[in-house]
Amino acid sequence: MLAELFAAAASGCRDRSPLTQRLLDDAAADLRQGGVTARIMAGSERDREGQVPGLRFAGAVHRLVLEGRAPDLAKHYPSVGGRPHLPTLWEDALPALTEHADLLRHRVQATVVQTNEPGRSAPLYGGLVVAAQEAAKAANRHVPFCVRLLEVGASGGLNLRPHHVGYRLEDGVLGDPDSLLVLDPQWTGRPPADLSHRPRVVGRAGCDLYPVDVSTEDGRLHLSSFVWADQLDRWNRLRDALDLAATDPVRVERSAGPEWLAKQLARVERDVLTVVWHSVVWQYVSPADRAMGRAVLADAAAKATPTTPLALLVFEPRREIDYKFALMLKLWPAGISLCLGVGEGHGIPFTWDVTPWE
């Protein structure tokens, strides 16, 4: 079963990360033969698909490379200046896997996948502009609401500063043009809003079951290890996002989503739009916590008023649109429920196409 999960993860990398695909395909074959990968994955034999054991393995191996513990393997990893040669990848990986098998097993067992992808800020920022302006229209205000952001599953909190990011379009830069992180959103179309109005964010908070402290070298390495090493655009985005985070710290609280959200939503701020958001989190949440989270949000939505509006803004996969990742917005008490568009899981590229959110 574990070998099949590795093979499935490898298939998911096809056309996106040849290096990770080859590593996981070879590791799956090694698992079937009872090789060193079986020793590394001991204790994970009953993992489920949602626990993504293959990606935990690939992340642990990548971290060895980033730490300088696997010099022969590093020559295949563009994240440290290498150049992949897939036919000899496994041959060069084996000595490092064997030497560091115990360390790798510990890391595979002790960690969860954290892909705090800063590219998702691009569609989320556009959705935030829409939410602030639609809430203002519903309340008959002439200016958009200020915003309080509450992120569930925030990881290292890299997407809690969308107003401090620049978004480069053909006709200029949205957000902060002087930011350390400037994204190319690769948008098709535009958000249905006046993009000249930059949202004013007056409060931010986030929670995660396994928060990552990006102010530490360990936290930075942890997030970096889960970026596929041959996707240098993502790698560079993460480097810039981590540098930005160092200048604008935001604490991510260790907590389950429903309990944390109930506490945050109990505090109501007048003339502020409270925005609950998350991105590529839903698939990792248990059915029980999903139900509890919906109940907490429904209770807060029932109490929302035109001067204390509430929004849910999420970027999550949707089966009914061929597993594309959709940006979805609900707004209370305005009663707005929209799918704003769809894109790739890393947020870039993205196509704006407004339809009802059923």
Side-chain angles (χ1 to χ4, degrees):
M1 177 62 178
L2 196 55
E4 283 69 30
L5 292 179
F6 268 58
S11 180
C13 302
R14 184 176 294 119
D15 301 326
R16 295 187 292 168
S17 176
L19 175 67
T20 309
Q21 180 185 1
R22 185 59 177 263
L23 177 70
L24 291 177
D25 274 334
D26 288 343
D30 188 59
L31 271 170
R32 294 187 185 101
Q33 296 167 9
V36 66
T37 310
R39 176 182 165 193
I40 293 168
M41 299 304 297
S44 299
E45 293 87 353
R46 296 186 179 182
D47 277 7
R48 303 181 305 277
E49 182 180 5
Q51 294 171 285
V52 287
L55 296 186
R56 298 200 328 266
F57 171 84
V61 174
H62 190 190
R63 180 156 179 167
L64 279 186
V65 171
L66 296 175
E67 293 172 332
R69 297 175 186 260
D72 287 340
L73 184 57
K75 65 188 180 185
H76 297 277
Y77 277 68
S79 56
V80 291
R83 189 171 183 177
H85 183 251
L86 300 184
T88 60
L89 174 65
W90 189 251
E91 175 186 336
D92 289 330
L94 274 174
L97 299 183
T98 302
E99 179 182 356
H100 300 290
D102 291 339
L103 174 61
L104 289 167
R105 182 174 66 253
H106 169 73
R107 287 179 173 173
V108 166
Q109 291 287 331
T111 62
V112 296
V113 172
Q114 290 276 24
T115 52
N116 198 183
E117 173 54 58
R120 293 170 189 149
S121 281
L124 286 167
Y125 177 83
L128 193 62
V129 174
V130 174
Q133 293 182 22
E134 289 298 326
K137 289 178 188 176
N140 293 315
R141 292 167 56 103
H142 297 296
V143 294
F145 277 92
C146 297
V147 171
R148 175 171 63 134
L149 288 179
L150 303 176
E151 184 174 16
V152 178
S155 185
L158 297 185
N159 288 321
L160 272 170
R161 48 187 67 80
H163 54 311
H164 290 322
V165 176
Y167 307 92
R168 185 181 294 109
L169 305 179
E170 295 88 346
D171 52 352
V173 178
L174 303 179
D176 183 357
D178 299 318
S179 175
L180 292 170
L181 174 61
V182 178
L183 301 175
D184 176 7
Q186 298 179 37
W187 283 351
T188 298
R190 291 290 186 272
D194 182 355
L195 295 177
S196 66
H197 288 281
R198 180 176 169 184
R200 183 180 170 214
V201 178
V202 295
R204 297 171 291 172
C207 78
D208 199 282
L209 282 173
Y210 307 97
V212 179
D213 184 353
V214 297
S215 70
T216 67
E217 181 65 14
D218 180 74
R220 293 167 70 97
L221 278 170
H222 186 64
L223 288 184
S224 300
S225 70
F226 291 112
V227 175
W228 293 332
D230 49 353
Q231 291 193 324
L232 289 181
D233 285 348
R234 288 184 63 209
W235 179 261
N236 292 330
R237 285 201 298 264
L238 180 63
R239 297 292 89 197
D240 291 345
L242 290 169
D243 289 344
L244 175 60
T247 70
D248 178 37
V250 182
R251 178 174 175 267
V252 178
E253 184 177 341
R254 184 181 298 275
S255 176
E259 292 85 353
W260 178 85
L261 193 58
K263 180 176 66 175
Q264 294 292 328
L265 292 177
R267 179 168 61 87
V268 177
E269 296 188 25
R270 187 176 177 84
D271 295 321
V272 171
L273 170 64
T274 296
V275 179
V276 176
W277 75 0
H278 53 80
S279 58
V280 197
V281 167
W282 209 232
Q283 66 205 65
Y284 301 110
V285 179
S286 71
D289 275 357
R290 291 186 191 185
M292 289 174 61
R294 289 191 183 102
V296 168
L297 194 63
D299 181 65
K303 299 172 183 175
T305 72
T307 57
T308 59
L310 174 67
L312 174 67
L313 182 63
V314 303
F315 184 64
E316 297 287 352
R318 295 189 69 183
R319 294 179 182 178
E320 59 268 34
I321 48 177
D322 298 327
Y323 289 93
K324 285 286 189 179
F325 289 76
L327 182 67
M328 296 167 284
L329 170 67
K330 287 185 182 288
L331 187 62
W332 299 276
I336 291 172
S337 185
L338 299 171
C339 175
L340 297 175
V342 296
E344 298 300 319
H346 299 137
I348 298 172
F350 185 83
T351 298
W352 294 94
D353 180 22
V354 180
T355 58
W357 179 8
E358 304 295 342

